[in-house]
Amino acid sequence: MTPEICLPRETVDAIRKTSDKDRHPGLELDKFCALPSDEHEWGKWQESQGRVLDRVAGLPGDAALLDALLKDRRRMLQALNARCWTGTTQGPLTLHLARAGALENAGICLHPLYGFVWIPGSGLKGMTRAFAETLTDATAEDRQRIFGWSPDGDDTGGAAGSVVFHEAWPTRWPSLVRDLSNSHHAKYYTGERSAPPADYEEPIPISFLSVQSKTEFEFALSRRSTATSDTDLALAQQWLIGALEHLGVGAKTAAGYGTVICDDQPRTPVSPGRRELLDVELKLVTPAFLAGAQQSAQDCDLRVPTLRGQLRWWWRTMHAGQVDVETLRMMEAAVWGDTDQGSPVRLTLEPTTKRPAAFNHVEIGKQVNLPAGREMTVRGNRITQMGLHYVSYGMAEIKGNRHYLPPGSCWRLSLTVRDQPRLTKKVNGREQEIRPTIPADLIRDQVEAALWLLTHFGGVGAKSRNGFGSFADIPALDAVLSLEECMIRGARLRKSFPASRQTPDRRVASLDHLQRIEIETHLDASNQSHVWFALDRLGYHMGVFADRYSRTGDPSSPQRKAALGLPRHGADQSFSKTYPRWAKPVHFHWGVTSDGKLKLYITAFLIRLPELDKNREMIEQLRESLAEHRNSLFRVPGNLGSVREVAPQSTLRPRPPMRGSAPPPRRDNHGNRGPRR
């Protein structure tokens, strides 16, 4: 089946002869996109949508046209004696995702005549009013005068606002990129699934367009008439600047999109009592495999949606073992939002360092002088495999296509929280309260606890459960939080919701069924070579430990090994059909001691996978094995080399889609076929 554009042949031929610099991005997105005719072929639809978005993002636009238009616009604003200033996006920006179009949730606000991204004045006015309503010093009279008012019910009258909000235009033709949104538990969030989110569910990727960070826009306000005072203009400007900084413009603002900072303008403070703020630094202890839609060096960075997803996962561990699915879903919506209500939690990330490097375990092994590997028997074949290859399995499948951020990479995380209003629904014609108002300080407690759990037990990016993407502890949170305090904060939120009506599911990770192992080392956390050596030694030991159950003839071995996770292609096919692919319930996390040494934290969740007793037995054996070899496993060798900094590559081909196709055979650094895990 070949996608076709449903236009007359002469028109299609004329379009194809048009050069990229003369193409209109809006028409390319809405009118000339070629998609499969069978909407049920989801994989082909998504693949085609990605190609269309890449095509639109690759159009250069007409910079000369925009410059000429900006000159005319500035003359018009000057004639109106308007207040003008510029603001710069601090992260990605996207808007009008849900507007009608041929693509699903992939629209963006492109100028209907000229094709560049712009921000309509109606949207700026609406977000400014929403921000003004959160300020205690913004009186109702001021808001009504500036924004206007319409008659209520049968009343007559109404008035236009005293201030005109002009659309915001970019100062240069903005660059578009294909962005990615992943829903890992769609059926749970829509209520179709009666079980809590599980680690075997496949994500549903949705591609959309966004504007790159550090894009500058021009904003303008003017008087509606000569009666408009300077005070009204100043108030409207102050509120708009506050809305751009604290609320964000466009879609996905809770995920950090749309933040705009106006550097040459005074900052607008947030009204105390309405919002709780937290500014902390996130710092990588171990390298992190991070990527966006392109899976390249350009998007190798920590994205707010990635961080929010991890925070939601760890937040659920505080509650999943205590409440039924319906209550869990209701609580999660109150803190993190859903399709019916926005999230009261807004996160923004500002990178302070970013040095992506192409990952090659063989090259790193040579630089650090890692051991060549270990020998083991897999399906009768003798192979040698590095420990680093074991824990990073799959990251070097396509040479030069997977990148990582090295240890020491930092981000500034800003958290903004507001009250979540009371929620009701009609039952037999009467309003019934489902959830009372959740104050901002209670929601902040939940997010802080989830962040503490993430920075002590987990990580971000691919292979995070194998020790990659571990964050250092956050001193501000360590001063007030512990595992026990996180559980207390979880119980405090549950008091605001109805009691559970069924037994919680024991197949999900819960802090109530947690075991921890800690192993101290003499490795220097600030030395990258020591970090790579630690990951290699952990991989070596885990490979040897797991190999015991690959070579044994015991029919219960696959069930026992399930405590370490279930691969996509298991050796025991009947067992794999009963229990699909499942991420291992064991998390390896690298922290830093007070004297700067690496410390390994092993967190194991005792879940029914497939049997609770076998899971507990396997984890106990892992603990004993690590305890037995802890003295020799991380002993620093005398010939340890140093890692050379690798310059980021700026022109890499996108990673080919793997969905629905068989992955290539895995091979170790000696060319031998390796096992699938």
Side-chain angles (χ1 to χ4, degrees), residues 542-587:
M542 287 304 302
V544 173
F545 181 80
D547 193 36
R548 300 177 190 173
Y549 300 92
S550 299
R551 291 180 290 171
T552 181
D554 185 356
S556 66
S557 291
Q559 288 89 333
R560 294 176 182 274
K561 197 175 178 181
L564 302 179
L566 295 172
R568 185 185 298 275
H569 305 288
D572 187 334
Q573 295 298 325
S574 61
F575 181 70
S576 298
K577 290 180 181 179
T578 306
Y579 297 93
R581 184 184 185 187
W582 203 310
K584 64 174 174 284
V586 179
H587 297 249

Side-chain angles (χ1 to χ4, degrees), residues 161-193:
S162 62
V163 176
V164 176
F165 289 75
H166 296 269
E167 63 266 17
W169 281 22
T171 58
R172 292 183 178 86
W173 196 282
S175 298
L176 297 176
V177 294
R178 179 162 64 95
D179 214 330
L180 187 67
S181 175
N182 260 338
S183 177
H184 286 261
H185 313 293
K187 292 185 177 179
Y188 161 76
Y189 290 126
T190 57
E192 298 178 37
R193 180 178 170 82

Side-chain angles (χ1 to χ4, degrees), residues 126-138:
M127 61 181 289
T128 304
R129 179 162 192 161
F131 178 76
E133 289 176 351
T134 70
L135 302 175
T136 56
D137 57 352

Side-chain angles (χ1 to χ4, degrees), residues 258-414:
T259 300
V260 178
I261 300 298
C262 305
D263 293 324
D264 58 344
Q265 299 294 327
R267 294 290 181 89
T268 301
V270 178
S271 177
R274 292 291 299 176
R275 293 174 180 266
E276 298 287 339
L277 302 178
L278 175 69
D279 286 318
V280 295
E281 182 186 69
L282 295 178
K283 184 176 182 180
L284 284 179
V285 176
T286 56
F289 295 111
L290 298 166
Q294 299 297 332
Q295 301 278 300
S296 63
Q298 290 88 338
D299 56 7
C300 180
D301 196 6
L302 179 60
R303 303 165 62 243
V304 174
T306 300
L307 181 62
R308 282 181 70 94
Q310 285 294 328
L311 291 176
R312 290 178 82 143
W313 194 94
W314 286 103
W315 176 87
R316 282 195 294 266
T317 65
M318 295 192 296
H319 305 284
Q322 298 288 336
V323 298
D324 60 279
V325 178
E326 183 180 350
T327 305
L328 179 65
R329 188 184 296 114
M330 191 185 308
M331 292 171 57
E332 188 167 352
V335 176
W336 303 103
D338 61 7
T339 55
D340 296 326
Q341 55 189 323
S343 172
V345 178
R346 185 167 189 265
L347 304 175
T348 59
L349 281 173
E350 181 182 349
T352 56
T353 56
K354 183 182 178 183
R355 307 182 308 274
F359 177 71
N360 187 316
H361 67 279
V362 177
E363 281 300 316
I364 293 174
K366 291 178 181 178
Q367 293 175 28
V368 186
N369 290 327
L370 298 178
R374 62 184 180 85
E375 286 196 354
M376 65 179 181
T377 301
V378 178
R379 301 183 182 92
N381 298 323
R382 203 74 178 169
I383 70 171
T384 302
Q385 189 178 49
M386 294 176 59
L388 182 58
H389 188 204
Y390 188 91
V391 290
S392 64
Y393 197 60
M395 296 298 100
E397 287 179 326
I398 303 174
K399 186 177 180 180
N401 211 42
R402 196 63 197 245
H403 289 71
Y404 69 91
L405 285 179
S409 299
C410 299
W411 296 264
R412 178 190 175 189
L413 170 64
S414 298

Side-chain angles (χ1 to χ4, degrees), residues 181 400 405 437 445 631 640 661:
S181 175
L405 285 179
T437 299
D445 285 349
N631 293 328
L640 200 65
S661 60

